[in-house]
Structures are given as C-alpha cells and as structure tokens.
Amino acid sequence: MKTLDPSSQNTQAFNTEALSLGQAQQLIGQCVEDLLQHRSLRTERIPLEEAFGRTLAEDITSGVDVPAHTNSAMDGFAFRMPPKTNTEPTNMRYKLVGESLAGKPFTKAVAHDECIKIMTGALLPLELDTVAPFESVMIDPLGERTNKLTWGQWIDMDGTRFKAGDNRRLAGEDIPKGARVLLQGQRLHAACMGLMASLGVAQVKVQALLKVAIFSTGDELQRPGESLKPGMIFDSNRYTLKGLLQGLGCEVIDLGIAADEPLALKHMLKEAAKVCDVIITSGGVSDGDADHTKAMMQDMGEVFFWKIAMRPGRPLAFGKIGSSLLFGLPGNPVAVMVTFLSLVRPALLHMMKRQEDPAFDIATLTALCEEPIRKKPGRTEFQRGLTRRNANGQLCVRLSGHQGSGILSSMVQADCLIVLEHERPDIKAQETVTLWPLPRLI
Ligand code: AMP
Ligand code: MG
C-alpha cells in the first residue's frame, strides 16, 4: 500500500492512476489535518440569538441549577407527607391556606396540617414535599372542584395513593450547577439553543464561518433569467453547490461563471484564494480541449490527484493554493452532488471541527434491491434510488428513473443514493445494498 501523504514523493504516483474513493477520502482527510496543524481556526463570540447552526468553540458549563427551584410537576395540592409509621396513613386532612402559581410563589410559612393549591412549574414551599394532582382529590364530583375552592376549607386525601416526593421536581434535577452540558465541536441545533437559554447563556464562542468560494466554468453557461442562446445551457451547479454549502452552515462567496479561458480561470482562482478557506469549482477538469481548470490549479498551487475510480465523478481535481483547499469538481450536475457528498462534505465538516457531530458520518441504511443493477468491479458507483417498505416491512429500493450524470430530475425524484462498493460486481435482484438517505444530506 502506498503512502497517501500528500507532501510525500509518492504523490506523483497518484497523478497517473485513479484512486479508489476510500483512498481519496483518506488523502483529503490527511490534507485537512495537516492544514489545521498549521493555522489556528478563527473563533468569535456572538449573541445566542445568532448562534443556531454554528459550531461551539468552548465547553458550556451550567452556572445555575435547572430547574432553579424545587417546583410542582402537576396542577394540584401541595402538602407535607406525614412521617412513616407502622400503620400507613389512609385518610389525611389538610387546611387549604393559599396558592402558588408559576412566577407568583406562596411566601408564607405552611404548617404540617396545611396545604396550598399549586400549579405546574410553581415554586414548592420549603415545608412541603408532595403534590396531589387535582384529579386524585375528590372534593367536588361535578368536576368544578378547583374553581370552587375557598381558603380555610379542608381537603381530604387518600394517604395510600401518595408517597413523599410525588409530583415534585427537585432543584438541579435536570442540570446541577457546575455540570458540563455541551462540548466544543457540537453543532448548535434547536435543542442546544433552548438548553443554553435555559442556563441564561447570552453570548457564545463559536468557530468562525468557513468561507467557501464557488464558481462555475464553461463557455456554454448562462445565468437563469437570461434568454438562452443557441447551444447554451443554464448554470445549475452553482445553485446546487450553494444549497449544499448553506445546508452545512458555510459562508458562500459566489464568484459567478468563468469562461473556458486560462487567464479568466487564473484570475478567478487568485481572487478566491485571497479570501477563502476552500474553493470549489465545477467543470473543466477532464482532458478535453476546453478543460483548463486542472492545469490552472497546478500552475498556481498543487494538485494531489484528479482521477477517482467512481461513477459519476471520475475526474475531480483536489489540491491547494496557498492555504486554501481546492476542489475542482466535474461539470455534470449529478456528479457535482455525488462528489460533494462523498468527498467535499467530510472535508468541510472536518475543517469546521465537527468530527464529533453525529451528522459527520452519513447514517447509512441497508435495503433489498428490487431490480438487477449492472456494476463494474474496481470502482464505487452511485445510483439514485427510491425506497419503500414491502409487505413484510423490509426496506426495498429501486432506481429512480434515468441515471445519466447530467440528469438532475432523477436526483429530485430519488430519496437515497445506492452505494455500490468498489469491488462489487453486478447486483442481482433481492441482494442487499447500502443506501445514503438524501433528505438530511441535501
Ligand atoms: P465539463 O466537465 O466542463 O466538460 O462539463 C461536463 C458537462 O457538464 C457538460 O455537458 C457541461 O455542459 C455540463 N456542465 C458544466 N458545468 C455546468 C453547470 N455549471 N451547470 C450545468 N451543467 C454544467
Ligand atoms: Mg466545460
């Protein structure tokens, strides 16, 4: 096995032959690791309101108990359970002396034979330890019991139905003061946002947004909104890429379209490298007459490889200009998406320090393939698929229409990518295949 160190003498060897997808992923991973060793990631402190989707750059420790005070888990009557005796209490009587509402606590002392009306979340006075839900205390069988209460009336309770501590939430039982509740590297999703707010956190240190420049290459490309000239097509890759990048929480710098002209490309790459952590282009990485991207990347920086044994996505130039990583993706729209998901996405998440994020590894599924699929051993192939459950509840998958690498409509119809591993030959109907579910990835 050759070393995949991008800085080693052996790198040249990979320039002549196609890497397996696994080797390419490994090499990119090493490159990112190397890059992160040599430059410290920027962090910033921002208001909590703006932190959704960002990556935490500090551990969050609770400065308070959650809940902050012992409170009631139910609407009902709060009382003190009498001490345990040999003869268990059966009927208990308490005089109703007041009420505790959420945000409006009962502040007077409560004697051992007194109770208060209490609502969910309201502070439980120190002297009391148990809450009897309204529905367990039959004081008005017509159901209007809680409205007709008067202070001083006696409330009867069946002592066998409760034990001390019932329906009580203790201060700090969710999070005790001093507990570490979030670790750096965590993506701040909706539950994290709520959790930090519940601790009173107003400012949070996060990784600076990863800046990613994108541009499309091709003399045939026009912008949506323009009238299409003969032989031209609309540029779709920039829109796909922008969506994929925004989904990961990157800052996207959209540089538009570059002509198939070496100087135009050089200028665009130079501008992008000045301001961005990562540059992603599409098109112009094959060996055709108009394919200049790879040559310009080599001219201005380094290209570590440009052929991968995968379909779609065989031509893909990976390299660096200065300290910016460069992905020259193929031009075909489906190849753009497949190479992004399999190679660019893990690199970006790694750069964003999100290796510990549960979303880092794609959550694969396995399914029965309902139809035969032709597959060449010696390359990883991706097909677009549609899943369903059969009568036995098993997950099954079939192809979602035309599979050409330019056909985006079947990518829209698909709910998964079927991943056919490197060494695998033709797939027979009813064989098991691996799936990447698409909804959470795109
Ligand atoms: P290339 O690798 O540049 O030869 O492109 C391969 C195919 O993808 C060609 O049919 C291109 O027209 C098409 N293509 C390249 N870039 C784009 C783009 N930005 N949007 C849509 N199709 C594209
Ligand atoms: Mg082109």
Side-chain angles (χ1 to χ4, degrees):
M1 171 83 186
K2 296 178 184 105
T3 167
L4 288 172
D5 178 358
S7 60
S8 84
Q9 300 291 313
N10 289 336
T11 307
Q12 205 53 38
F14 296 108
N15 292 341
T16 52
E17 60 190 73
L19 296 188
S20 73
L21 179 60
Q23 286 175 316
Q25 285 167 329
Q26 200 188 336
L27 191 138
I28 293 172
Q30 282 174 16
C31 242
V32 172
E33 199 54 53
D34 193 45
L35 207 74
L36 294 179
Q37 300 288 320
H38 294 101
R39 67 164 206 211
S40 57
L41 279 177
R42 288 161 290 132
T43 60
E44 56 187 345
R45 190 163 284 283
I46 58 171
L48 180 64
E49 279 77 5
E50 293 165 19
F52 178 75
R54 301 291 293 268
T55 309
L56 200 54
E58 62 181 349
D59 293 347
I60 300 285
T61 303
S62 178
V64 292
D65 277 333
V66 179
H69 49 75
T70 299
N71 68 86
S72 176
M74 300 288 278
D75 293 346
F77 298 104
F79 62 98
R80 175 154 206 94
M81 201 63 189
K84 269 200 180 278
T85 56
N86 285 343
T87 52
E88 286 298 310
T90 49
N91 191 44
M92 307 185 298
R93 301 200 89 195
Y94 292 92
K95 190 158 79 175
L96 185 64
V97 293
E99 65 181 352
S100 180
L101 307 176
K104 282 192 198 132
F106 183 76
T107 48
K108 295 192 201 114
V110 192
H112 71 277
D113 60 346
E114 292 175 343
C115 69
I116 59 165
K117 180 179 155 188
I118 195 162
M119 306 310 279
T120 306
L123 191 140
L124 188 68
L126 273 180
E127 303 89 344
L128 310 183
D129 58 7
T130 308
V131 174
F134 285 139
E135 54 271 28
S136 69
V137 179
M138 300 302 290
I139 55 170
D140 176 1
L142 293 178
E144 293 171 316
R145 52 192 179 257
T146 56
N147 296 334
K148 298 231 167 133
L149 297 169
T150 49
W151 304 149
Q153 84 177 79
W154 289 90
I155 309 281
D156 286 311
M157 295 185 208
D158 176 358
T160 60
R161 297 183 66 162
F162 308 106
K163 58 183 191 315
D166 277 357
N167 303 311
R168 173 184 63 175
R169 298 178 185 146
L170 288 173
E173 81 174 17
D174 179 2
I175 303 162
K177 187 175 171 176
R180 227 163 20 143
V181 290
L182 293 173
L183 301 182
Q184 53 175 302
Q186 167 79 50
R187 183 184 76 91
L188 296 176
H189 55 63
C192 301
M193 295 295 289
L195 180 64
M196 286 190 292
S198 76
L199 306 180
V201 172
Q203 300 260 322
V204 59
K205 190 167 147 196
V206 295
Q207 300 293 350
L209 288 175
L210 194 71
K211 280 193 185 172
V212 184
I214 54 172
F215 66 89
S216 299
T217 71
D219 286 342
E220 75 280 32
L221 301 179
Q222 283 188 244
R223 288 179 169 75
E226 294 174 355
S227 71
L228 205 58
K229 299 192 190 93
M232 304 289 273
I233 59 166
F234 288 120
D235 170 14
S236 63
N237 289 343
R238 242 172 346 116
Y239 297 82
T240 312
L241 280 173
K242 196 167 180 179
L244 289 165
L245 290 164
Q246 284 174 338
L248 291 183
C250 300
E251 180 182 343
V252 183
I253 293 152
D254 184 350
L255 297 175
I257 300 170
D260 283 321
E261 201 266 304
L263 282 182
L265 275 169
K266 195 167 183 169
H267 174 73
M268 206 78 116
L269 287 172
K270 200 167 150 193
E271 287 308 301
K274 272 190 211 154
V275 286
C276 288
D277 303 301
V278 181
I279 304 167
I280 305 176
T281 68
S282 67
V285 281
S286 307
D287 291 322
D289 292 346
D291 294 333
H292 305 296
T293 313
K294 185 180 65 202
M296 280 307 106
M297 285 168 66
Q298 267 167 327
D299 193 39
M300 300 178 64
E302 291 169 88
V303 173
F304 300 132
F305 63 80
W306 65 79
K307 277 186 208 148
I308 306 177
M310 68 185 282
R311 202 171 94 137
R314 181 178 164 81
L316 180 150
F318 170 70
K320 283 192 324 182
I321 296 184
S323 62
S324 306
L325 280 191
L326 244 163
F327 291 91
L329 304 188
N332 275 310
V334 176
V336 165
M337 296 191 77
V338 169
T339 51
F340 183 93
L341 293 176
S342 55
L343 293 156
V344 184
R345 181 182 181 276
L348 298 182
L349 289 175
H350 191 166
M351 289 186 83
M352 293 157 89
K353 297 240 171 179
R354 293 250 293 270
Q355 302 99 293
E356 303 304 323
D357 191 328
F360 183 77
D361 291 316
I362 293 175
T364 58
L365 297 172
T366 49
L368 291 179
C369 195
E370 294 192 284
E371 57 188 304
I373 304 178
R374 298 206 64 133
K375 158 77 172 64
K376 243 180 151 172
R379 70 182 183 197
T380 306
E381 294 189 14
F382 291 86
Q383 306 272 351
R384 283 141 266 172
L386 250 181
T387 57
R388 69 170 189 105
R389 294 262 166 210
N390 67 12
N392 300 327
Q394 288 166 303
L395 192 66
C396 301
V397 67
R398 63 189 161 83
L399 299 177
S400 72
H402 275 296
Q403 297 287 322
S405 61
I407 297 177
L408 262 185
S409 56
S410 55
M411 195 74 189
V412 173
Q413 285 147 18
D415 63 7
C416 64
L417 286 175
I418 307 170
V419 187
L420 305 174
E421 294 82 1
H422 191 84
E423 290 307 338
R424 208 161 170 179
D426 287 344
I427 283 76
K428 297 188 203 75
Q430 299 306 311
E431 272 186 35
T432 301
V433 287
T434 305
L435 307 182
W436 286 358
L438 282 174
R440 285 172 60 185
L441 292 173
I442 63 173

